[in-house]
Amino acid sequence: MTEKSGSTRDGFAHGTGGADGTGDGYDVVVVGGGAAGLSAALVLGRARLRTLVVDAGEPRNAPSSHMQGYLSRDGMSPAAFLAAGREEVAGYGVELLAGRVTDVARNGTATGTGAGDTGFAVLLDGGRTVRARRLIVATGLKDELPAVPGVAERFGRDVLHCPFCHGWEVRDQPFGVLASSAMSVHQALMVSRWSKDVTFFLHTVAEEELSDQDLRRLAAAGVGVVPGEVAGLVVEDDRLTGVRLADGSVHARSVLYVGPRPLPRTGLLERLGAELSETPFGAYPVVDPTGLTSVPGVWAAGNAVGFAEQVVHAASGGYRAAAAIVGDLLMTDLDAATAG
């Protein structure tokens, strides 16, 4: 990345001027610098809005060496994708800061606006507070992996969770699927699209928890069902070669699919009083088609609004949120200029 005045070698910079002429006032603060946050920042920067992206450097797909299904970026590494994104947004004057937002609150009338346009005080780790007229929360989620020895160490390599992300690369190999609930049947059926050699390990799920329809579908798909708790993985020469059960038996497998428990990072939204909706995959903010939450002036995008958002979806969501904010701020300022 080409360095700019005041930037650090990792491409992140500190703010030097705000919408009201001070260093800590921004039109938009984007919390999270993944695909959603950077896509939003690109649109905001091109619209000439003073924008700060704060990113803790913990992307959900960090364990993966490649990402798939993003037209023109298929096979690109997530790290290279984010580096390219940071360089692009920096070219439009967007400021990028490595760090965390530790708290956020309304702070009355926002800078550079008319009365009634509520802004936000954004507290950063280290104690600095910046002000924003609008917020985009793109904090994503964390995957809580099953507590089976070896799973975390090999996640993103030969322990996978999404066939759309990695299925082609491991096609026709012997698959295992680790059940975490009866809902894992769906995952076992889906991955059979990429391999006809699939074994469904029930692990802590009792066979009687599966419905008759589940069992019929598994049989029709040619998926073998193995009861018994999984005790660990067998790894040889840094490659997964098998799944070991608690009874000591080993089933030869070269790929294991698991279903992580998604933990949405909704702390900031909760502190602002955003309405959340409970789903089988966690609680997510209620948003309109642009990502606007129930809190005026606060948008959400990417995995912050749903567990199944792929990189391409996250980028799209960030774009929509940013475009909505551009229009929102413009109309707010025009209404303030023509008021009474």
Side-chain angles (χ1 to χ4, degrees), residues 12 39 60 109 134 149 154-155 174 186-187 190 201 206 220 243-244 246 264 266 275 312 320 329 331-332 338:
F12 290 92
S39 180
R60 182 187 183 191
T109 301
R134 301 292 185 268
R154 305 206 65 79
F155 188 58
H186 179 75
Q187 186 179 38
M190 286 297 294
F201 296 99
V243 174
R244 187 178 67 256
T266 55
E275 180 184 355
V312 66
R320 288 196 300 271
L329 286 175
M331 298 308 167
T332 296
T338 57

Side-chain angles (χ1 to χ4, degrees), residues 307-332:
F307 89 103
E309 296 295 286
Q310 306 283 5
V311 176
V312 66
H313 301 133
S316 175
Y319 191 112
R320 288 196 300 271
I325 288 174
V326 172
D328 179 49
L329 286 175
L330 175 63
M331 298 308 167
T332 296

Side-chain angles (χ1 to χ4, degrees), residues 62-82:
S64 298
S65 59
H66 55 85
M67 62 182 204
Q68 311 296 154
Y70 194 135
L71 189 63
S72 82
R73 297 294 180 267
D74 190 64
M76 191 175 190
S77 81
F81 175 79
L82 295 179

Side-chain angles (χ1 to χ4, degrees), residues 59-65 141-146 148-162 165-166 187 233 240 256-261:
R60 182 187 183 191
N61 60 0
S64 298
S65 59
L141 59 81
K142 180 181 179 180
D143 289 310
E144 183 179 78
L145 296 168
V148 172
V151 164
E153 291 80 2
R154 305 206 65 79
F155 188 58
R157 301 167 66 188
D158 38 30
V159 173
L160 309 171
H161 77 292
C162 172
C165 303
H166 300 283
Q187 186 179 38
L233 307 183
L240 176 67
L256 180 67
Y257 280 93
V258 301
R261 176 175 172 240

Side-chain angles (χ1 to χ4, degrees), residues 62-187:
S64 298
S65 59
H66 55 85
M67 62 182 204
Q68 311 296 154
Y70 194 135
L71 189 63
S72 82
R73 297 294 180 267
D74 190 64
M76 191 175 190
S77 81
F81 175 79
L82 295 179
R86 288 194 292 266
E87 184 170 12
E88 287 179 359
V89 302
Y92 292 102
V94 171
E95 298 172 44
L96 300 116
L97 177 66
R100 295 180 184 276
V101 172
T102 58
D103 203 0
V104 62
R106 294 183 180 277
N107 69 344
T109 301
T111 59
T113 70
D117 184 24
T118 302
F120 303 89
V122 180
L123 179 63
L124 308 178
D125 54 356
R128 178 186 172 200
T129 297
V130 299
R131 287 165 294 120
R133 298 178 65 187
R134 301 292 185 268
L135 293 177
I136 297 179
V137 177
T139 45
L141 59 81
K142 180 181 179 180
D143 289 310
E144 183 179 78
L145 296 168
V148 172
V151 164
E153 291 80 2
R154 305 206 65 79
F155 188 58
R157 301 167 66 188
D158 38 30
V159 173
L160 309 171
H161 77 292
C162 172
F164 293 101
C165 303
H166 300 283
W168 174 266
E169 286 67 35
V170 296
R171 64 193 182 280
D172 298 327
Q173 296 184 39
F175 288 180
V177 178
L178 180 70
S180 54
S181 73
M183 293 176 61
S184 299
V185 169
H186 179 75
Q187 186 179 38

